[in-house]
Amino acid sequence: MDKKNIKEFSNEILDNYKKYNIENIEISTAETINVSLKTRKLQLENIERSKNININVNLYKDNKKATISANNIEKINPVDFLEKGSAMVKFIPVDEFCGLPENKYYEKGLLDLDLVDEKTHSDEDLIDQAKTAEEIMLNSKKITNTE
């Protein structure tokens, strides 16, 4: 799944949610890339990688809110996603304070907070960091083993 697919999926939801009698919709996505490595006795044991992309959709109707989410949209049809969310919101209790604000209450001059960390580390750099940390720990007489 790539960013283009997430954008297409989100746009299809935005283009179709009114057809399912949903008043408002809110979509958020998050992408995480993880690298984990293990060393023992200053030797590399294992490297694990994972990449996750999550999408959360909040649906609002008649002072009710339902949330539907997925971490793999490759085999999900956005229309099916909307149908499921539309069915869910019918059974949610009414909350008089539930809903999105009117457009006039949204901030118009949002700052770019530059929250994306795109720095990547090579495997060699990560291995060196792990070995250095383990070596420092092993220099303590209170630590007899590391993992």
Side-chain angles (χ1 to χ4, degrees):
M1 171 174 25
D2 57 27
K3 290 180 183 180
K4 183 178 180 186
N5 288 347
I6 293 171
K7 189 171 184 176
E8 290 171 1
F9 188 89
S10 299
N11 283 336
E12 193 164 343
I13 288 175
L14 290 170
D15 291 342
N16 290 295
Y17 76 92
K18 294 273 186 190
K19 295 175 186 173
Y20 294 89
N21 296 319
I22 299 167
E23 294 168 0
N24 283 306
I25 200 157
E26 193 175 30
I27 300 173
S28 63
T29 61
E31 178 181 12
T32 58
I33 300 171
N34 297 305
V35 178
S36 173
L37 59 91
K38 291 181 183 180
T39 60
R40 181 183 288 263
K41 297 184 180 181
L42 301 176
Q43 297 298 312
L44 177 65
E45 276 196 350
N46 189 18
I47 296 179
E48 295 178 5
R49 300 177 190 284
S50 66
K51 180 177 179 179
N52 296 306
I53 299 175
N54 299 313
I55 184 165
N56 296 308
V57 180
N58 294 324
L59 305 106
Y60 298 91
K61 180 180 179 178
D62 299 329
N63 292 87
K64 300 175 183 182
K65 173 187 169 187
T67 301
I68 188 167
S69 62
N71 59 8
N72 183 354
I73 60 170
E74 289 177 9
K75 296 181 181 177
I76 298 176
N77 182 336
V79 170
D80 295 340
F81 211 62
L82 284 170
E83 286 176 357
K84 184 176 180 181
S86 178
M88 288 172 56
V89 79
K90 292 176 186 175
F91 297 100
I92 303 294
V94 171
D95 178 354
E96 65 178 298
F97 301 107
C98 183
L100 296 175
E102 295 175 31
N103 285 340
K104 65 182 179 181
Y105 295 114
Y106 283 99
E107 174 61 36
K108 302 293 187 250
L110 294 176
L111 300 174
D112 180 3
L113 299 177
D114 191 27
L115 298 176
V116 176
D117 180 8
E118 296 190 24
K119 184 176 181 181
T120 57
H121 299 276
S122 69
D123 288 352
E124 293 79 22
D125 185 39
L126 293 171
I127 293 167
D128 288 344
Q129 289 179 32
K131 286 180 178 180
T132 299
E134 185 177 26
E135 190 172 4
I136 291 169
M137 287 186 286
L138 288 172
N139 285 334
S140 171
K141 295 185 189 321
K142 295 179 181 179
I143 298 174
T144 59
N145 195 7
T146 64
E147 182 176 329

